[in-house]
Amino acid sequence: MRPSEQTKPVQFLHGTPPAPSSGPVTVAPSAPAKPDKLLRIDDVMELTKLGKSSIYAMPGFPSRVRLSSRCVRWKESEVLTWIASRSAVGEQ
C-alpha cells in the first residue's frame, strides 16, 4: 500500500461521533429579524405612567436586564406586551 492510500482514523470533535440523523434537520433562526430595544427607567416610566419604585416592586412586571452593577434596562417588547395585557384586564 502506498502512503497516499493509507486511511487515517476519523477524529471527532469532543471525542464522540455525531448521532445519526433520523429525519430532516430544521435550523432555528439564530437571531430575531429586529433586535429588541433596551429601555431606560425613564422610558419605562413614560410608557407605563408608573413611578420608579412601583416598577421595581410590582409583581409580574417584566424583569430587568442587568448590563453592569449599576445599569439595568428593560426589553421594549416585554414592556409593551405587559402594557397590552394590563389593557386587556381593564376591558373585562
Side-chain angles (χ1 to χ4, degrees):
M1 203 182 255
R2 288 185 259 166
S4 62
E5 294 176 4
Q6 291 177 356
T7 60
K8 294 182 181 180
V10 177
Q11 290 195 358
F12 300 103
L13 295 177
H14 307 292
T16 59
S21 176
S22 61
V25 176
T26 58
V27 179
S30 59
K34 184 179 176 186
D36 209 358
K37 184 177 176 183
L38 296 176
L39 302 175
R40 301 174 69 151
I41 186 66
D42 294 335
D43 300 326
V44 176
M45 290 169 57
E46 180 64 31
L47 281 172
T48 61
K49 305 300 185 210
L50 294 171
K52 185 188 294 189
S53 59
S54 296
I55 291 169
Y56 279 97
M58 184 170 290
F61 195 78
S63 57
R64 53 192 178 267
V65 177
R66 183 168 297 282
L67 300 179
S68 71
S69 62
R70 296 179 50 140
C71 180
V72 295
R73 298 288 189 268
W74 285 262
K75 291 182 180 180
E76 182 182 41
S77 62
E78 292 179 5
V79 173
L80 294 176
T81 301
W82 181 84
I83 292 170
S85 72
R86 299 299 297 168
S87 298
V89 169
E91 293 173 358
Q92 291 178 355

